[in-house]
Amino acid sequence: MTDLASLEAELAAAVTGAADLAALDAIRVAALGKTGSISNMLKSLGSMSPDERKTAGPAINGLRDRIAALIAEKKAALEALALEAQLASERLDLTLPAPPRRKGSVHPTMQVFDELTAIFAEMGFAVAEGPDIEDDFHNFTSLNFTPKHPAREMHDSFFFQPNDAGERMLLRTHTSPVQVRTMMSQKPPIRIVAPGRTYRKDSDQTHSPMFHQIEGLVIDRDIHMGHLKWTLETFCRRFFETEAVVTRFRPHHFPFTEPSAEMDVQCDRSGGSIKIGEGSDWLEILGGGMVHPTVLRNCGLDPDEWQGFAFGLGIDRLGALKYGMPDLRDMFSGDVRWIDHYGFSAFAAPNPATGLS
Ligand code: PHE
């Protein structure tokens, strides 16, 4: 019996001290397995005399049950511990602040978009839009481009493969097709601006193959160049936020306006940067003119009844000018350092009353 008592004490100590489930299982096999110490004792019952067996039987069975219960209890405790350790190692503290992230900001082109629409909205212009993928009619023919006009050639425009009808769609080369779409779908008087993306095969410091333009169109009775000039001069003073802006109109040619002009702003280019409102240099910023009678007719309007002016200007270039960016292509390079430097707060919506920029 001392044998049994010391074996029980030894096994109980081992079970209590088992460090993990593998160690506990080794103890179980050594005691209760096929050739375990307790199993061997149970086997020896068969060779005992009935008297011996009477006392030894219950003692050994009791030992087996107590050890088995002890092992089960320890197993449950170890399993609970293992689960806790796993939960602790996989813990995700959702109350921790997120790691520092870049703050989003408004791209200068979108900022200038908003500034322009705010200025023109105040002057009574609505915003119109058209598709980036245009057909020949809206981009060229309706705008009085002759069949041989160089802008139709592959080196200027991005054309798609001809469709089933043999028609080649293209990425619009200017926002002027929105003039046509608006005149064909609305009755005059019309006063719209159409900001959007435009595409040309051009890439250098002042050209990017994808760029942004804003188109302006006014159709009414008795509209003349004076209206165009006032609108653009007023716009320039508001946009550059200085009364000192000096502008000039230079005669030019566009197939869809007659007469046509380009507008320059006076600026100072000495010292490596461009300053508006001073100096003796001129910088071209837009094209405009009176809508050509042929374009009016192409859109179903009688030129003897309706006249209008149109203009188109490059948004990115205007932003580069106002906010001092040396290379237009940086605007679309997707460099986060650039946008960190030049981006605008999303909460500071441009508004002529509270300030544009
Ligand atoms: N569409 C012309 C361009 O992209 C600009 C323009 C628009 C000129 C409207 C006159 C009238 O160069």
Side-chain angles (χ1 to χ4, degrees):
M1 279 306 120
T2 20
D3 266 10
L4 281 188
S6 61
L7 180 63
E8 180 162 5
E10 195 184 302
L11 285 174
V15 168
T16 314
D20 54 32
L21 286 166
L24 183 67
D25 204 50
I27 297 164
R28 182 189 62 78
V29 173
L32 305 172
K34 251 194 195 141
T35 56
S37 47
I38 297 178
S39 312
N40 284 341
M41 286 175 137
L42 286 170
K43 278 184 217 150
S44 71
L45 286 175
S47 57
M48 286 181 192
S49 67
D51 271 354
E52 273 178 328
R53 202 180 298 144
K54 228 185 193 164
T55 47
I60 298 170
N61 278 315
L63 171 65
R64 185 200 55 200
D65 293 347
R66 284 192 300 279
I67 292 300
L70 208 59
I71 289 175
E73 197 183 307
K74 181 71 181 177
K75 189 169 181 233
L78 283 175
E79 277 171 352
L81 268 175
L83 183 64
E84 244 168 69
Q86 187 190 357
L87 288 177
S89 75
E90 291 173 4
R91 186 174 135 103
L92 188 65
D93 186 350
L94 295 176
T95 66
L96 277 177
R101 272 217 247 144
R102 285 182 184 281
K103 261 197 293 148
S105 57
V106 175
H107 191 282
T109 292
M110 292 303 130
Q111 166 76 15
V112 175
F113 244 71
D114 290 347
E115 292 181 18
L116 296 175
T117 43
I119 293 169
F120 283 111
E122 205 189 30
M123 293 197 227
F125 285 75
V127 172
E129 285 187 307
D132 285 22
I133 298 175
E134 267 298 3
D135 51 31
D136 184 86
F137 174 77
H138 290 95
N139 198 82
F140 296 128
T141 307
S142 61
L143 288 164
N144 199 28
F145 279 80
T146 55
K148 291 270 181 291
H149 196 283
R152 290 178 185 248
E153 297 304 313
M154 297 297 292
H155 59 261
D156 272 331
S157 318
F158 291 106
F159 284 101
F160 289 84
Q161 295 294 334
N163 60 18
D164 291 344
E167 201 191 3
R168 282 192 312 171
M169 301 293 276
L170 76 155
L171 292 173
R172 66 178 175 191
T173 56
H174 50 179
T175 41
S176 300
V178 188
Q179 282 185 39
V180 176
R181 290 184 178 275
T182 307
M183 283 187 272
M184 291 181 97
S185 64
Q186 291 178 23
K187 291 226 171 321
I190 292 170
R191 239 187 286 181
I192 57 115
V193 283
R197 287 191 195 95
T198 44
Y199 310 81
R200 285 179 206 175
K201 286 187 187 169
D202 250 343
S203 181
D204 62 33
Q205 213 176 338
T206 52
H207 295 88
S208 136
M210 187 280 297
F211 58 108
H212 298 80
Q213 281 193 339
I214 191 166
E215 190 82 7
L217 174 71
V218 169
I219 302 286
D220 208 331
R221 292 187 167 94
D222 305 323
I223 296 290
H224 53 74
M225 281 294 269
H227 294 124
L228 172 63
K229 232 179 152 215
W230 179 88
T231 305
L232 293 176
E233 283 169 1
T234 306
F235 152 73
C236 273
R237 279 197 284 278
R238 300 245 167 107
F239 179 72
F240 289 111
E241 298 176 78
T242 164
E243 285 296 314
V245 183
V246 181
T247 53
R248 76 173 180 196
F249 268 51
R250 247 184 316 102
H252 196 71
H253 171 76
F254 296 107
F256 36 93
T257 46
E258 182 58 38
S260 303
E262 278 189 338
M263 194 175 91
D264 301 335
V265 239
Q266 197 165 40
C267 62
D268 177 25
R269 288 197 228 209
S270 61
S273 65
I274 297 176
K275 288 184 217 81
I276 301 291
E278 46 195 282
S280 55
D281 294 316
W282 295 96
L283 193 84
E284 181 238 311
I285 62 160
L286 61 87
M290 300 306 294
V291 179
H292 198 291
T294 304
V295 176
L296 291 172
R297 268 191 294 268
N298 288 343
C299 298
L301 296 175
D302 177 0
D304 292 327
E305 191 181 356
W306 302 106
Q307 301 81 45
F309 66 76
F311 59 88
L313 55 94
I315 294 181
D316 317 290
R317 202 180 277 183
L318 218 54
L321 203 58
K322 184 169 176 182
Y323 297 113
M325 294 141 195
D327 193 322
L328 209 63
R329 290 164 300 185
D330 290 340
M331 291 194 132
F332 312 114
S333 65
D335 187 333
V336 281
R337 293 166 304 179
W338 188 91
I339 192 75
D340 274 352
H341 181 77
Y342 286 110
F344 289 81
S345 163
F347 299 110
N351 173 339
T354 56
L356 286 171
S357 53

PDB file of all heavy atoms in Angstrom, residues 99-112:
ATOM      1  N   PRO A  99      -2.092  54.392 -36.884  1.00  0.00           N
ATOM      2  CA  PRO A  99      -0.774  54.970 -37.126  1.00  0.00           C
ATOM      3  C   PRO A  99      -0.921  56.247 -37.960  1.00  0.00           C
ATOM      4  O   PRO A  99      -1.860  56.355 -38.746  1.00  0.00           O
ATOM      5  CB  PRO A  99      -0.039  53.885 -37.914  1.00  0.00           C
ATOM      6  CG  PRO A  99      -1.071  52.946 -38.362  1.00  0.00           C
ATOM      7  CD  PRO A  99      -2.230  53.052 -37.434  1.00  0.00           C
ATOM      8  N   PRO A 100      -0.020  57.201 -37.786  1.00  0.00           N
ATOM      9  CA  PRO A 100      -0.182  58.474 -38.493  1.00  0.00           C
ATOM     10  C   PRO A 100      -0.267  58.256 -39.991  1.00  0.00           C
ATOM     11  O   PRO A 100       0.501  57.502 -40.567  1.00  0.00           O
ATOM     12  CB  PRO A 100       1.072  59.267 -38.133  1.00  0.00           C
ATOM     13  CG  PRO A 100       2.009  58.286 -37.515  1.00  0.00           C
ATOM     14  CD  PRO A 100       1.200  57.152 -36.990  1.00  0.00           C
ATOM     15  N   ARG A 101      -1.230  58.902 -40.637  1.00  0.00           N
ATOM     16  CA  ARG A 101      -1.414  58.749 -42.083  1.00  0.00           C
ATOM     17  C   ARG A 101      -1.357  60.101 -42.729  1.00  0.00           C
ATOM     18  O   ARG A 101      -1.610  61.115 -42.102  1.00  0.00           O
ATOM     19  CB  ARG A 101      -2.793  58.141 -42.331  1.00  0.00           C
ATOM     20  CG  ARG A 101      -2.720  56.635 -42.292  1.00  0.00           C
ATOM     21  CD  ARG A 101      -3.634  56.057 -43.315  1.00  0.00           C
ATOM     22  NE  ARG A 101      -4.727  55.349 -42.669  1.00  0.00           N
ATOM     23  CZ  ARG A 101      -5.944  55.335 -43.146  1.00  0.00           C
ATOM     24  NH1 ARG A 101      -6.230  56.002 -44.236  1.00  0.00           N
ATOM     25  NH2 ARG A 101      -6.881  54.678 -42.542  1.00  0.00           N
ATOM     26  N   ARG A 102      -1.099  60.081 -44.061  1.00  0.00           N
ATOM     27  CA  ARG A 102      -1.100  61.354 -44.776  1.00  0.00           C
ATOM     28  C   ARG A 102      -2.487  61.946 -44.756  1.00  0.00           C
ATOM     29  O   ARG A 102      -3.470  61.238 -44.931  1.00  0.00           O
ATOM     30  CB  ARG A 102      -0.714  61.100 -46.228  1.00  0.00           C
ATOM     31  CG  ARG A 102       0.713  60.837 -46.354  1.00  0.00           C
ATOM     32  CD  ARG A 102       1.098  60.646 -47.796  1.00  0.00           C
ATOM     33  NE  ARG A 102       2.493  60.299 -47.807  1.00  0.00           N
ATOM     34  CZ  ARG A 102       3.448  61.199 -47.674  1.00  0.00           C
ATOM     35  NH1 ARG A 102       3.147  62.462 -47.572  1.00  0.00           N
ATOM     36  NH2 ARG A 102       4.698  60.826 -47.650  1.00  0.00           N
ATOM     37  N   LYS A 103      -2.543  63.254 -44.606  1.00  0.00           N
ATOM     38  CA  LYS A 103      -3.825  63.927 -44.687  1.00  0.00           C
ATOM     39  C   LYS A 103      -4.178  64.094 -46.159  1.00  0.00           C
ATOM     40  O   LYS A 103      -3.312  64.444 -46.951  1.00  0.00           O
ATOM     41  CB  LYS A 103      -3.721  65.308 -44.060  1.00  0.00           C
ATOM     42  CG  LYS A 103      -4.251  65.358 -42.640  1.00  0.00           C
ATOM     43  CD  LYS A 103      -4.522  66.804 -42.224  1.00  0.00           C
ATOM     44  CE  LYS A 103      -3.236  67.565 -42.119  1.00  0.00           C
ATOM     45  NZ  LYS A 103      -3.173  68.925 -42.411  1.00  0.00           N
ATOM     46  N   GLY A 104      -5.424  63.817 -46.515  1.00  0.00           N
ATOM     47  CA  GLY A 104      -5.827  64.041 -47.897  1.00  0.00           C
ATOM     48  C   GLY A 104      -5.863  65.541 -48.178  1.00  0.00           C
ATOM     49  O   GLY A 104      -6.035  66.333 -47.264  1.00  0.00           O
ATOM     50  N   SER A 105      -5.656  65.920 -49.445  1.00  0.00           N
ATOM     51  CA  SER A 105      -5.775  67.333 -49.771  1.00  0.00           C
ATOM     52  C   SER A 105      -6.315  67.477 -51.182  1.00  0.00           C
ATOM     53  O   SER A 105      -6.353  66.518 -51.952  1.00  0.00           O
ATOM     54  CB  SER A 105      -4.426  68.035 -49.627  1.00  0.00           C
ATOM     55  OG  SER A 105      -3.465  67.419 -50.439  1.00  0.00           O
ATOM     56  N   VAL A 106      -6.747  68.674 -51.491  1.00  0.00           N
ATOM     57  CA  VAL A 106      -7.363  68.940 -52.793  1.00  0.00           C
ATOM     58  C   VAL A 106      -6.270  69.280 -53.803  1.00  0.00           C
ATOM     59  O   VAL A 106      -5.429  70.136 -53.553  1.00  0.00           O
ATOM     60  CB  VAL A 106      -8.375  70.098 -52.666  1.00  0.00           C
ATOM     61  CG1 VAL A 106      -8.939  70.487 -54.023  1.00  0.00           C
ATOM     62  CG2 VAL A 106      -9.494  69.706 -51.707  1.00  0.00           C
ATOM     63  N   HIS A 107      -6.280  68.592 -54.948  1.00  0.00           N
ATOM     64  CA  HIS A 107      -5.293  68.837 -56.007  1.00  0.00           C
ATOM     65  C   HIS A 107      -5.465  70.267 -56.539  1.00  0.00           C
ATOM     66  O   HIS A 107      -6.605  70.724 -56.703  1.00  0.00           O
ATOM     67  CB  HIS A 107      -5.512  67.813 -57.119  1.00  0.00           C
ATOM     68  CG  HIS A 107      -4.418  67.781 -58.134  1.00  0.00           C
ATOM     69  ND1 HIS A 107      -4.309  68.719 -59.132  1.00  0.00           N
ATOM     70  CD2 HIS A 107      -3.377  66.932 -58.291  1.00  0.00           C
ATOM     71  CE1 HIS A 107      -3.245  68.438 -59.876  1.00  0.00           C
ATOM     72  NE2 HIS A 107      -2.661  67.350 -59.379  1.00  0.00           N
ATOM     73  N   PRO A 108      -4.352  70.960 -56.815  1.00  0.00           N
ATOM     74  CA  PRO A 108      -4.459  72.346 -57.302  1.00  0.00           C
ATOM     75  C   PRO A 108      -5.377  72.500 -58.506  1.00  0.00           C
ATOM     76  O   PRO A 108      -6.104  73.503 -58.612  1.00  0.00           O
ATOM     77  CB  PRO A 108      -3.020  72.700 -57.681  1.00  0.00           C
ATOM     78  CG  PRO A 108      -2.179  71.836 -56.824  1.00  0.00           C
ATOM     79  CD  PRO A 108      -2.948  70.565 -56.598  1.00  0.00           C
ATOM     80  N   THR A 109      -5.395  71.501 -59.406  1.00  0.00           N
ATOM     81  CA  THR A 109      -6.292  71.604 -60.556  1.00  0.00           C
ATOM     82  C   THR A 109      -7.749  71.653 -60.099  1.00  0.00           C
ATOM     83  O   THR A 109      -8.554  72.444 -60.606  1.00  0.00           O
ATOM     84  CB  THR A 109      -6.092  70.406 -61.509  1.00  0.00           C
ATOM     85  OG1 THR A 109      -4.798  70.528 -62.088  1.00  0.00           O
ATOM     86  CG2 THR A 109      -7.130  70.381 -62.605  1.00  0.00           C
ATOM     87  N   MET A 110      -8.082  70.814 -59.107  1.00  0.00           N
ATOM     88  CA  MET A 110      -9.461  70.800 -58.611  1.00  0.00           C
ATOM     89  C   MET A 110      -9.767  72.083 -57.845  1.00  0.00           C
ATOM     90  O   MET A 110     -10.888  72.601 -57.888  1.00  0.00           O
ATOM     91  CB  MET A 110      -9.681  69.582 -57.704  1.00  0.00           C
ATOM     92  CG  MET A 110      -9.621  68.272 -58.459  1.00  0.00           C
ATOM     93  SD  MET A 110     -10.846  68.240 -59.805  1.00  0.00           S
ATOM     94  CE  MET A 110      -9.839  67.714 -61.167  1.00  0.00           C
ATOM     95  N   GLN A 111      -8.746  72.607 -57.150  1.00  0.00           N
ATOM     96  CA  GLN A 111      -8.901  73.887 -56.452  1.00  0.00           C
ATOM     97  C   GLN A 111      -9.224  74.988 -57.465  1.00  0.00           C
ATOM     98  O   GLN A 111     -10.159  75.771 -57.290  1.00  0.00           O
ATOM     99  CB  GLN A 111      -7.608  74.208 -55.690  1.00  0.00           C
ATOM    100  CG  GLN A 111      -7.488  75.635 -55.187  1.00  0.00           C
ATOM    101  CD  GLN A 111      -8.333  75.923 -53.952  1.00  0.00           C
ATOM    102  OE1 GLN A 111      -8.790  74.980 -53.306  1.00  0.00           O
ATOM    103  NE2 GLN A 111      -8.547  77.180 -53.647  1.00  0.00           N
ATOM    104  N   VAL A 112      -8.453  75.011 -58.581  1.00  0.00           N
ATOM    105  CA  VAL A 112      -8.676  76.048 -59.595  1.00  0.00           C
ATOM    106  C   VAL A 112     -10.050  75.840 -60.257  1.00  0.00           C
ATOM    107  O   VAL A 112     -10.780  76.798 -60.506  1.00  0.00           O
ATOM    108  CB  VAL A 112      -7.528  76.058 -60.630  1.00  0.00           C
ATOM    109  CG1 VAL A 112      -7.800  77.038 -61.750  1.00  0.00           C
ATOM    110  CG2 VAL A 112      -6.210  76.419 -59.953  1.00  0.00           C
TER     111      VAL A 112
END
